[in-house]
Amino acid sequence: MPPQVETIILSNGYKVPAIGLGTWQGGNDPGEVYEAVQIAIDEGYRHFDCASVYGNEAEIGKALQEKITAGVVKREDLYIVTKIWNDEHKEKLVVPACQRSLKKLGLGYIDLYLVHWPLSYPDDVDYIETWRGMEKCVELGFTRSIGVSNFNSQQLTRLLDSATIKPVMNQIEVHINLNQKKLREFCASKAIAVTGYSPFGAPGRCTGFQPPGPDINLQSPVITEIAKKYNKTNAQVALRYSIDIGIIPIPKSSSPKRLRENINVFDFKLTPEEIVAIDQLDCGFRTCNAIEYKECKEYPFNIEF
């Protein structure tokens, strides 16, 4: 029996499952992400995090449609997120980009459409202009909610000052070695929910964003001791930590065993003392620093939060 997944209510009233499946790096093997999504649905996942740049929306859509057609899940039970990439930030390009994602996913609407990064290239487009296109997507019924990803507090403040439709979500990197407390508190003060990507620090990563390096310390004695107490894996404790500090983690996996383990984190809860102990593991270690965008005007990581 799939676990009963907790939900979070967004500022616009829509509910989002408190854990999702990340699909980044799934584009190298379309069959892998297709199978992962199918297995994930069977295991109880209803929240799927996608992006146009991942190159696998069509495979994800195929998996979703097959499960809907088979009666395993209804469209209204799913929460589908996707994102616009940096080269389509001009206002006139936003709606067509959203429509392409919808077509690939085989859906009539997206639950949440995100601006993937505050920066753009090859043209330096102001994300305020991009947001006008995002609002149009809501008005046209192509997405129910809109939000951002990788925005810092200053960028969010500027966006909130000009937005007609406020962002409901900021998707950022969050894990035990980068708990983003100040940015989380800022988002909470503005009624912006937070999704946390790379909850395990993107182990085995080798991307243009960051070369291979040390992984986050999932084997910390603090995590290990708590895992033994609850008869859980260290990874499950890390995910529960994210949930207990108000984050929606989106772990990526294609392993049936790990997909099952990752969603089975709703039968225990960390104590305040355990959360404080894990808080101490924060060392500001960012695995996705997007260093190739360092010279862009809106590179988000030049300030503290």
Side-chain angles (χ1 to χ4, degrees):
M1 188 76 178
Q4 188 67 40
V5 176
E6 297 167 11
T7 59
I8 289 174
I9 300 176
L10 301 175
S11 60
N12 61 1
Y14 287 108
K15 291 182 180 179
V16 52
I19 194 169
L21 179 69
T23 61
W24 180 40
Q25 297 178 326
N28 296 332
D29 183 355
E32 181 178 307
V33 74
Y34 163 80
E35 291 175 10
V37 170
Q38 291 221 320
I39 294 167
I41 288 175
D42 292 340
E43 293 296 340
Y45 289 81
R46 297 295 180 261
H47 174 182
F48 295 89
D49 182 78
C50 317
S52 61
V53 77
Y54 300 166
N56 54 20
E57 287 174 314
E59 288 74 32
I60 293 167
K62 182 172 182 283
L64 295 174
Q65 292 307 317
E66 287 182 6
K67 287 296 183 180
I68 291 171
T69 301
V72 176
V73 67
K74 297 177 181 177
R75 169 62 184 101
E76 55 265 33
D77 296 329
L78 296 171
Y79 196 88
I80 309 301
V81 183
T82 195
K83 314 177 192 76
I84 188 167
W85 189 238
N86 307 335
D87 57 355
E88 296 186 294
H89 275 207
K90 288 183 179 179
E91 183 178 357
K92 66 180 181 181
L93 300 179
V94 178
V95 168
C98 184
Q99 289 176 302
R100 280 195 301 276
S101 286
L102 279 172
K103 185 176 181 180
K104 289 177 182 177
L105 290 165
L107 301 174
Y109 67 91
I110 295 165
D111 292 277
L112 175 61
Y113 197 40
L114 303 179
V115 180
H116 208 146
W117 289 87
L119 49 87
S120 72
Y121 59 80
D123 301 304
D124 184 16
V125 182
D126 192 334
Y127 55 79
I128 300 298
E129 174 184 337
T130 312
W131 196 252
R132 291 197 296 268
M134 298 290 284
E135 291 177 332
K136 191 70 174 177
C137 291
V138 177
E139 293 163 8
L140 292 170
F142 296 147
T143 184
R144 289 182 166 179
S145 306
I146 48 178
V148 297
S149 181
N150 299 300
F151 273 53
N152 63 37
S153 60
Q154 292 178 3
Q155 292 161 338
L156 285 170
T157 298
R158 183 167 174 262
L159 179 59
L160 288 166
D161 286 344
S162 68
T164 300
I165 301 174
K166 305 298 185 185
V168 300
M169 184 73 70
N170 187 19
Q171 184 176 129
I172 57 177
E173 180 178 349
V174 181
H175 47 72
I176 62 172
N177 291 157
L178 184 73
N179 68 39
Q180 299 265 31
K181 184 176 182 180
K182 289 185 177 180
L183 185 51
R184 287 190 285 113
E185 290 177 344
F186 176 84
C187 288
S189 75
K190 304 298 182 183
I192 298 172
V194 176
T195 297
Y197 67 77
S198 298
F200 306 137
R205 67 196 172 279
C206 183
T207 73
F209 296 128
Q210 169 116 336
D215 293 327
I216 68 170
N217 190 15
L218 276 183
Q219 302 309 314
S220 159
V222 172
I223 301 295
T224 299
E225 183 178 343
I226 295 171
K228 286 179 180 176
K229 172 185 171 181
Y230 293 107
N231 194 28
K232 292 290 183 178
T233 67
N234 289 37
Q236 286 172 316
V237 170
L239 290 174
R240 188 66 228 187
Y241 169 72
S242 286
I243 294 166
D244 284 341
I245 63 172
I247 300 300
I248 303 167
I250 47 171
K252 183 258 177 183
S253 182
S254 57
S255 159
K257 179 176 181 289
R258 287 181 181 162
L259 283 167
R260 187 174 304 114
E261 286 178 352
N262 289 347
I263 201 171
N264 277 286
V265 292
F266 296 99
D267 55 353
F268 76 111
K269 190 176 177 68
L270 301 179
T271 67
E273 293 77 18
E274 288 164 346
I275 291 172
V276 168
I278 298 174
D279 281 345
Q280 305 310 307
L281 299 176
D282 179 79
C283 60
F285 175 58
R286 190 183 298 278
T287 70
C288 182
N289 61 17
I291 197 69
E292 64 183 56
Y293 304 142
K294 184 79 172 174
E295 302 307 315
C296 290
K297 177 185 174 185
E298 296 296 345
Y299 180 74
F301 306 139
N302 285 327
I303 63 172
E304 184 183 0
F305 69 96

